[in-house]
Amino acid sequence: MIPKIILGKGPHATRRTIGYLFGKGRANEHTDPHLVASWNDFAPDPGRSPHRNPKDVADQLAAQLDQPVKMLGDKAPKHTVWHCPVRAAPEDPILTDEQWADVARRIVAAAGIAPDGDEEACRWVAVRHADDHIHIAATLVRQDGRRPSRGYDQRAVQKEARRIEVDYGLRRLKPGDGTAAKRPTSKEHFKAKRQGQDATAREVLRLRVRRAVAAASSEAEFFALLEATGVTVRPKAGPSGDVLGYSVALPGDVNKVGEPVWFSGSTLASDLSLPKVRQRLSDTAPEPIAPRPGDPWHQATAATERIASHLTFGDDHAAQGQLVALGAALDLLPVTAPSAAKAELQLAAAAFERATRSRITADRDSARVLRRSVQAIWRHPDAAGDGSGPAMLLDAALTAVAFAIHWHRTHQHAQQEAAAQQALVHLQAAYGTVIEPALGDLARRAPGQQTKHRYAHHLQRAVPEHAERIVEGRAWDALATVLAEAETQGHNAATVLDQALSQRSLDDARHPARALTWRIQRLGQRHASGPRAQAAMARSTALHPTAPASAAAVPSSQRSPARPR
């Protein structure tokens, strides 16, 4: 059950609200609007007065609601109307008028509008439009002339809604922490629907601004990227001429007088205000020393693999910073990924956006490598021309998101946990469309049977519990290819395979051959050690065959749910 508070102001705010509640709706969606409850239980009902003009009854109802406000004259508050739609989930049972009336009374009591037993409380009505929702409208002056005590009313009605869900057996939503981005209004949804758009202007702008933040390395580049993606930008300058903020609009998105509909960064999301954007750009700005050259897909994958360790063993601030960086990576992935995976990746990024924000302050310093490498991919998406780059990164992202679910669950971040779970589903679907072409390309270059037999023999010695599944798996030929290519680069196949096996346990991998393929492909492209170093590494592996690395050290009781790899 979702309650949402809207405040109204102006001399005709009450009559305007009543007119909307008992009208046909913006898209003729109001069917049989009628009162189910009111402050005195006998307020005039424009929807149930067959012998009177409905307009006259609406005027009478608005006048009665407005009476305490009018008594204050010029001392009336700026906002005089409290409007709260309350909607049930589509799968919920249909409540009766009496049950909706109980819901309304509990909501206004929780909000401080009309506490139980308070005969001098604000005047209010509850109007039912359809089976699944009501609208509560109240005037914000008590009948004794005082203002209602409604501090933190949005949080209070949300908590009461969670209790109502339990009492009536409704779908139970996750409790929030006040960090979610503002949802589009019903007016914005109706506007998008009229224009044949799948998303509201607010949602489109939020996505484009997030991508620009993820891709930019400076404030100037941030604004340039916004304009390059078709966003109209309006900087807000102070008296000194310094830019203090910004607003954005979509071309063609205008109000009823033909003016652009502007959204400030902070109204799109709290972390998209200009001060927050500047802080993020500053926290992750490149250091004066040039980064070590290399394949950005491999660097991004390695950095993403380390997220699990940060979430398991790092402090909360560093862990939150890693989640912000992972969200930025997911924001940019749809731009660089194969077309077949774009739709699912966009849904994954949109879902995971909620999982990147909590009340824990993010320390982004440890996530610089991931941010820079993802930016490099965005600028040069064809760096991994064989298609293995996106597959590798997605494989690591699946693990990182699984650990994010566990981390949020541990910290009782219910909404963030649910968002990460939803993102994982979309990532798994995208991974399925990316993995097959990449593995097929590798498999076509597989070495001969004698070489594969040699690799299988070492697997049998190193991981006998997984060897049969790996050799019989669909990715075995691809794994053999990357082992052979590692040997071509001067690596010892047995040593590099042992290194890959030590990076993380295969116990929760549904497709261990896939997981090893991407690890070995990255290891094989590193500079090969000399014979003495390889011999020393082999001796170390023999002495410590189960030495954990990063997430491999996570106890089984703390591991996240298994996911396909």
Side-chain angles (χ1 to χ4, degrees), residues 65 175 500 525:
L65 286 168
Q525 291 197 6

Side-chain angles (χ1 to χ4, degrees), residues 281-300:
L281 293 173
S282 174
D283 287 347
T284 55
E287 295 175 357
I289 302 174
R292 185 172 59 185
D295 187 325
W297 288 101
H298 288 210
Q299 293 173 345

Side-chain angles (χ1 to χ4, degrees), residues 6 20 35 41-42 56 60 73-74 110 113 182 227 252 331 347 354 361 409 443 450 458 476 515 526 549 560 563:
I6 306 164
Y20 167 74
L35 285 183
D41 291 327
F42 55 84
D56 294 339
Q60 181 185 5
D74 294 340
I113 295 295
K182 185 178 180 180
E227 293 178 348
D331 285 334
L347 292 172
R354 180 67 187 99
T361 305
R409 183 183 302 132
Q450 184 175 357
H458 184 76
W476 168 237
R526 295 178 182 175
S560 296
R563 53 53 171 193

Side-chain angles (χ1 to χ4, degrees), residues 391-406:
M392 279 191 300
L393 184 53
L394 274 176
D395 183 81
L398 283 168
T399 300
V401 173
F403 273 80
I405 294 170
H406 177 76

Side-chain angles (χ1 to χ4, degrees), residues 116-171:
D116 291 335
D118 188 346
E119 296 183 357
E120 298 297 325
C122 298
R123 297 184 176 187
W124 60 273
V125 293
V127 182
R128 185 172 186 174
H129 280 160
D131 289 340
D132 64 347
H133 72 280
I134 60 171
H135 288 253
I136 305 171
T139 43
L140 289 174
V141 176
R142 291 167 47 87
Q143 295 181 73
D144 57 11
R146 295 185 293 127
R147 311 285 179 85
S149 177
R150 57 179 193 89
Y152 303 104
D153 53 354
Q154 181 66 58
R155 189 179 305 174
V157 299
Q158 291 289 349
K159 290 179 65 175
E160 185 62 28
R162 303 294 81 78
R163 299 187 189 100
I164 292 170
E165 290 162 357
V166 174
D167 294 344
Y168 281 98
L170 308 178
R171 176 187 173 188

Side-chain angles (χ1 to χ4, degrees), residues 57-73:
V57 182
D59 289 340
Q60 181 185 5
L61 177 59
Q64 290 187 13
L65 286 168
D66 248 349
Q67 186 177 6
V69 178
K70 299 298 184 184
M71 288 176 60
L72 291 184

Side-chain angles (χ1 to χ4, degrees), residues 369-394:
V369 173
L370 177 57
R371 177 177 169 84
R372 292 179 197 164
S373 55
V374 170
Q375 288 176 336
I377 291 171
W378 177 76
R379 291 180 172 85
H380 307 287
D382 298 326
D386 59 357
S388 62
M392 279 191 300
L393 184 53
L394 274 176

